[in-house]
RNA sequence: GGACCGGUAGCUCAGUUGGAUAGAGCAGCUGCCUUCUAAGCAGCAGGUCAUUGGUUCGAAUCCAAUCCGGUUCACCA
């Protein structure tokens, strides 16, 4: 338990300081000891005077005081006990509006404007694992995968900024019937062609054969039905489907030519994925392959049976009864002795525990698997795996089109590579229209288009609460104005330009801190900047990058108002000029650090 | 049928440990570049917070019911 006295007030947010001051004041006044969580502090509404507001209703009953009497006593005591923090208060209908002293904000800016790591926490020694991306090797990545990749990468960076040691992992689904379908189609239709022959990325190349398989399958089913078969029979007997099933059987038997083809086609896919990952900034400390992990967990079924966690049915199949937890019975081993999907996940959870020993293991997986992960965690807990309580499913909603869900069979899937290139092309077009960077080299321009195009795309997908499904409209594409990545990137470039023109490598320290004369826009910007560390913490606790995205947008918006309202380089006097340059530099830094945890770069010029 | 998630402005989304007159962006309409980047700023307009009831000083937020949409409950992965 850290006490107020031993904590460094400099590193504590204003809101926390207000809460602690209120706890202390209430204890002093009424002899009642509250926790900081009991104190509700909000930003003061703009129409009232003040910066932060303590909501009094919560204590009115407990302290048996009228809101007015309580507010007056609390307000007076807060001011008396914290003369450096508060300058005045006013009381409106149970809301205690507090004015924070300008010198508090001035000292904050003075202290932090050169701190390149502002917002980051020191190492806390805790280890976290983030599993994300997790593609199938039968088709290329699409828009939904992009949301997954950006979320995974971002949550890893957010946790790092909060002092965690983070390992990123990926599990590649490189085996199973879907891969066999691509293999069968390739044998039937490719005439030995390889990706290089058609100038196609390997993942797209293999994906094309997956589509060809499905087309052929549909054709064969239709023919069989026309020949008098029932739909069910036709689907079962279609020659390509039988071939795919035989392929899977041969794969599991280790038939050399099947393994060789499988390895060859997967190698094409990996080359394609690597290119995409490099482009979008995904990387992994360790990649697992299902072909190597799919047999994991079998020993855990045995030990679970011995412990009585699992039970065996008459046919030999093994189950767990989760009805007491409000779920159903769940199969963990088939009657033929083979594993099911969840068995390998249990085994992999154990293996990850052994390899990484992380206190928290985050799985970035779509919300259609909510039930699966609820079951997985429960089973691991019942088996007593040490990692069980640390399992966290970072569940995210589907990306939908205005017409509904994306369906690969109907060709309505938005391809990841295509979308990235489209965004970069739009960035190029808009940049050329504005004509502000005509002196850039070819290389600098290419880099700028990447920064902007990918920034727009990432921000679009990260600005929404992960839990919620979201809509992407390909007709409207993604905007570069308003609540967007480029808007924030633009603000950064704008600040950098101002700083360059100030003629100083860095604003000097302000020896003459002006007292109590912050203008409203200067103060609003200071308050917003001060929140950044708390926002980063909140984003980590909630596993929610959108908190950072929304914050960064609001910061940029406030800066732009500040910029429009006040001259920075030609301020009224030297103190103001220094202060505004410091504010500008700190804003640029916070934008950069905030965007960085979203995986978005910011340009010096645009 | 059971479980879970969602429904807020024309569109896309914030806001939900209960707090003041529900906020942004886009789209629409007005203004603002001979001073630091107009990918910007200022303003106007736009709402039965799905519906009904309840809890209380106070409900978009909590509870119940209903309507609508989605996911899931495979000896699939």
């Amino acid at each position: 338990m850290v006490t107020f006295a031993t904590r460094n007030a400099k590193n504590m947010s204003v809101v926390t300081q207000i809460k602690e001051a209120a706890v202390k004041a209430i204890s002093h006044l009424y002899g009642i000891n509250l926790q900081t969580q009991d104190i509700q502090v909000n930003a003061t509404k703009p129409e009232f005077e003040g910066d932060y507001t303590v909501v009094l209703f919560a204590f009115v009953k407990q302290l048996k005081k009228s809101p007015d009497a309580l507010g007056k006593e609390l307000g007076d005591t807060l001011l008396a006990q914290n003369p450096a923090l508060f300058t005045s208060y006013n009381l409106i209908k149970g809301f205690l509006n507090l004015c924070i002293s300008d010198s508090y904000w001035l000292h904050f800016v003075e202290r932090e404007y050169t701190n390149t790591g502002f917002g980051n926490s020191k190492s806390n020694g805790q280890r976290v694992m983030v599993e994300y991306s997790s593609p199938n090797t039968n088709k290329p990545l699409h828009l939904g995968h992009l949301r997954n990749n950006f979320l995974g990468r971002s949550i890893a960076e957010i946790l790092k900024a909060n002092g965690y040691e983070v390992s990123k992992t990926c599990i590649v689904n490189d085996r199973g019937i879907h891969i066999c379908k691509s293999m069968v189609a390739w044998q039937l239709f490719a005439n030995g062609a390889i990706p290089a022959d058609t100038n196609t990325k390997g993942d797209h190349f293999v994906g094309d054969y997956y589509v060809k398989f499905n087309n052929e399958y549909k054709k064969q089913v239709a023919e069989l039905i026309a020949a008098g078969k029932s739909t069910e029979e036709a689907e079962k007997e279609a020659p390509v489907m039988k071939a795919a099933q035989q392929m899977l059987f041969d794969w599991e038997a280790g038939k050399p030519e099947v393994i060789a083809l499988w390895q060859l086609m997967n190698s094409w896919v990996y080359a394609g994925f690597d290119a995409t990952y490099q482009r979008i900034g995904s990387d992994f400390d360790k990649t697992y392959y299902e072909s190597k992990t799919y047999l994991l967990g079998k020993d855990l079924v045995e030990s679970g049976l011995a412990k009585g966690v699992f039970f065996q049915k008459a046919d030999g199949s093994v189950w767990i009864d989760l009805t007491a937890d409000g779920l159903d019975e769940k199969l963990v081993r088939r009657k033929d002795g083979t594993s099911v999907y969840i068995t390998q996940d249990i085994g992999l959870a154990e293996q990850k525990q052994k390899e990484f020993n992380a206190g928290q293991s985050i799985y970035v997986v779509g919300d259609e698997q909510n039930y699966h992960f609820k079951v997985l965690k429960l089973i691991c807990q019942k088996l007593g795996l040490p990692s069980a309580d640390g399992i966290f499913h970072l569940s995210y909603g589907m990306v939908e089109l205005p017409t509904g869900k994306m369906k690969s069979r109907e060709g309505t899937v938005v391809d990841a590579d295509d979308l990235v290139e489209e965004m970069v092309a739009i960035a190029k077009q808009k940049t050329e229209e504005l004509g502000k960077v005509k002196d850039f080299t070819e290389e600098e321009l290419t880099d700028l288009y990447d920064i902007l195009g990918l920034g727009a795309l990432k921000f679009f997908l990260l600005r929404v609460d992960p839990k919620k499904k979201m809509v992407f409209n390909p007709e409207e594409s993604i905007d570069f104005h308003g609540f967007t990545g480029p808007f924030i990137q633009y603000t950064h470039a704008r600040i950098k330009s101002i700083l360059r023109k100030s003629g100083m490598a860095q604003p000097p320290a302000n020896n003459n801190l002006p007292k109590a004369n912050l203008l409203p826009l200067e103060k609003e910007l200071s308050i917003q900047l001060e929140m950044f560390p708390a926002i980063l913490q909140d984003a980590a606790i909630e596993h929610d990058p959108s908190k950072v995205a929304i914050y960064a947008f609001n910061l940029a918006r406030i800066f732009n108002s500040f910029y429009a309202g006040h001259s920075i380089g030609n301020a009224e006097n030297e103190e103001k000029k220094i202060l505004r340059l410091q504010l500008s530099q700190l804003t640029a830094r916070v934008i950069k650090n905030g965007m960085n945890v979203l995986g978005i770069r910011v340009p010096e010029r645009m």
Side-chain angles (χ1 to χ4, degrees):
Chain A
M1 174 72 192
V2 183
T3 66
F4 181 58
T6 59
R7 215 183 292 178
N8 185 350
K10 281 182 184 171
N11 296 329
M12 225 164 26
S13 70
V14 173
V15 171
T16 306
Q17 289 185 58
I18 293 170
K19 288 181 178 181
E20 300 212 341
V23 166
K24 193 175 157 205
I26 288 170
S27 165
H28 174 257
L29 282 168
Y30 312 113
I32 290 173
N33 292 311
L34 297 174
Q35 301 292 312
T36 51
Q37 308 92 278
D38 302 327
I39 312 289
Q40 192 182 348
V41 175
N42 301 336
T44 303
K45 295 255 169 190
E47 55 267 38
F48 301 105
E49 193 195 342
D51 304 314
Y52 282 98
T53 296
V54 179
V55 183
L56 300 172
F57 298 103
F59 328 115
V60 166
K61 224 178 269 177
Q62 187 181 357
L63 300 177
K64 296 183 180 116
K65 289 248 171 198
S66 74
D68 274 357
L70 171 61
K72 183 152 192 336
E73 290 171 359
L74 187 56
D76 288 340
T77 307
L78 283 172
L79 254 63
Q81 292 185 335
N82 308 277
L85 188 57
F86 305 117
T87 52
S88 67
Y89 73 90
N90 65 83
L91 202 54
I92 297 168
K93 295 193 304 181
F95 295 92
L96 174 61
N97 301 322
L98 295 162
C99 299
I100 308 294
S101 102
D102 282 355
S103 89
Y104 177 86
W105 303 117
L106 291 166
H107 278 99
F108 157 73
V109 174
E110 183 73 25
R111 189 174 69 238
E112 301 294 353
Y113 83 98
T114 54
N115 178 6
T116 54
F118 178 59
N120 294 344
S121 305
K122 288 199 185 106
S123 168
N124 62 17
Q126 295 180 52
R127 195 168 295 178
V128 180
M129 190 162 32
V130 179
E131 178 193 288
Y132 73 107
S133 196
S134 306
N136 290 353
T137 59
N138 62 321
K139 51 178 190 277
L141 271 38
H142 59 66
L143 181 52
H145 293 112
L146 289 180
R147 190 179 195 190
N148 180 306
N149 277 268
F150 298 159
L151 270 174
R153 160 81 192 276
S154 177
I155 201 66
E157 293 301 321
I158 286 168
L159 290 164
K160 278 187 206 167
N162 278 275
Y164 291 88
E165 187 185 320
V166 180
S167 303
K168 290 176 277 189
T169 68
C170 176
I171 175 140
V172 179
N173 185 1
D174 62 343
R175 65 166 287 275
I177 189 72
H178 41 286
I179 285 91
C180 293
K181 288 177 182 176
S182 290
M183 289 159 66
V184 165
W186 184 82
Q187 286 184 325
L188 283 173
F189 305 116
N191 290 318
I194 63 172
D197 295 340
T198 51
N199 205 18
T200 311
K201 245 174 114 246
D203 50 340
H204 290 261
F205 182 85
V206 171
D208 289 344
Y209 287 96
Y210 186 70
V211 172
K212 283 190 171 72
F213 175 93
N214 282 311
N215 290 341
E216 181 64 18
Y217 176 57
K218 247 184 278 175
K219 201 174 103 195
Q220 292 183 355
V221 168
E223 281 167 7
L224 287 168
I225 290 172
K229 301 274 188 187
S230 73
T231 307
E232 212 173 309
E233 287 169 332
E235 287 176 351
K236 218 177 279 179
E237 292 172 21
V240 283
M241 185 57 84
K242 292 179 95 162
Q245 275 154 357
Q246 182 62 41
M247 187 78 83
L248 181 60
F249 184 85
D250 290 341
W251 183 90
E252 290 187 353
K255 195 172 176 186
E257 56 266 41
V258 170
I259 298 291
L261 176 59
W262 171 75
Q263 280 171 337
L264 178 65
M265 290 187 71
N266 270 344
S267 74
W268 296 336
V269 172
Y270 297 145
F273 282 172
D274 284 347
T276 302
Y277 283 146
Q278 179 145 13
R279 192 103 174 85
I280 66 176
S282 288
D283 57 6
F284 309 98
D285 298 298
K286 165 130 196 181
T287 300
Y288 293 97
Y289 298 90
E290 285 203 4
S291 55
K292 302 225 172 65
T293 66
Y294 81 111
L295 296 175
L296 289 175
K298 284 178 173 263
D299 51 336
L300 287 166
V301 173
E302 283 305 323
S303 63
L305 267 173
K307 285 185 203 167
V309 174
F310 302 137
F311 68 93
Q312 202 151 16
K313 289 195 175 175
D315 63 4
S317 58
V318 180
W319 299 73
I320 185 166
D321 183 1
L322 298 172
T323 50
D325 298 283
L327 307 175
D328 301 309
E329 289 185 349
K330 177 81 186 174
L331 178 89
V332 296
R333 191 172 76 191
R334 298 190 184 97
K335 65 182 173 197
D336 64 7
T338 56
S339 293
V340 290
Y341 181 59
I342 199 157
T343 316
Q344 66 165 312
D345 267 353
I346 301 165
L348 185 56
E350 188 193 38
Q351 176 152 333
K352 283 173 165 179
Q353 169 72 23
K354 284 179 189 157
E355 285 180 48
F356 291 94
N357 192 31
Q360 196 182 163
S361 178
I362 297 171
Y363 294 79
V364 184
V365 179
D367 62 6
E368 74 272 6
Q369 294 202 40
N370 283 354
Y371 181 81
H372 173 80
F373 280 98
K374 207 184 266 187
V375 169
L376 175 67
K377 182 165 185 171
L378 257 177
I379 294 179
C380 289
Q381 284 173 325
K382 287 176 190 293
L383 286 172
L385 298 187
S387 56
D389 291 340
I391 291 175
F392 179 83
H393 176 204
L394 176 42
S395 163
Y396 64 91
M398 297 291 103
V399 183
E400 295 181 358
L401 303 173
T403 48
K405 294 182 67 175
M406 290 190 284
K407 287 175 184 150
S408 43
R409 273 170 298 172
E410 292 171 22
T412 56
V413 172
V414 177
D415 179 75
D417 294 320
D418 290 350
L419 184 56
V420 167
E421 292 323 312
E422 189 190 326
M423 294 308 300
V424 171
I426 294 171
K428 178 171 193 268
Q429 183 206 325
K430 300 215 179 217
T431 303
E432 284 171 351
E433 279 168 12
L434 291 168
K436 292 181 184 177
V437 287
K438 289 183 173 156
D439 58 323
F440 271 34
T441 64
E442 221 27 64
E443 207 173 314
E444 286 170 329
L445 284 173
T446 305
D447 194 40
L448 179 62
Y449 303 151
D450 279 4
I451 290 174
L452 297 177
L454 280 163
L457 180 56
K458 290 183 181 187
F459 194 87
F460 178 83
L461 289 171
L462 288 173
R463 67 180 193 177
V464 180
D465 183 345
K467 287 195 290 290
K468 297 195 177 173
K469 69 178 182 200
M470 60 184 296
V471 176
F472 169 75
N473 189 340
E475 300 299 312
E476 296 171 6
S477 192
I478 294 171
D479 216 320
F480 279 57
H481 300 270
F483 185 20
T484 66
F487 171 89
I488 300 167
Q489 291 169 319
Y490 169 75
T491 306
H492 181 268
R494 180 184 238 183
I495 294 171
K496 286 298 182 156
S497 168
I498 294 164
L499 292 173
R500 278 192 301 272
K501 289 200 174 157
S502 77
M504 304 175 212
Q506 170 162 287
N510 208 336
N511 298 320
N512 213 357
L513 276 188
K515 279 184 185 147
N517 67 342
L518 277 179
L519 294 166
L521 289 167
E522 294 167 342
K523 183 152 93 172
E524 198 183 344
L525 183 55
S526 303
I527 292 175
Q528 183 74 10
L529 288 165
E530 197 272 345
M531 288 176 195
F532 181 53
I535 296 290
L536 277 181
Q537 283 168 29
D538 193 39
I541 292 165
E542 300 289 328
H543 299 96
D544 183 359
S546 74
K547 307 249 186 208
V548 180
I550 292 164
Y551 168 82
F553 169 65
N554 284 326
L555 175 62
R557 206 157 46 99
I558 291 167
F559 180 86
N560 283 322
S561 296
F562 161 79
Y563 166 87
H566 302 299
S567 183
I568 296 166
N570 290 313
E572 302 87 281
N573 56 54
E574 193 63 15
E575 282 78 22
K576 278 290 183 194
K577 180 177 169 181
I578 293 172
L579 169 67
R580 289 180 192 160
L581 285 170
Q582 290 179 345
L583 277 168
S584 300
Q585 177 165 303
L586 185 53
T587 301
R589 173 56 58 185
V590 171
I591 286 176
K592 185 171 189 172
N593 290 0
M595 294 294 262
N596 180 55
V597 301
L598 300 176
I600 299 172
R601 291 194 290 154
V602 289
E604 297 294 309
R605 289 179 57 196
M606 65 185 273

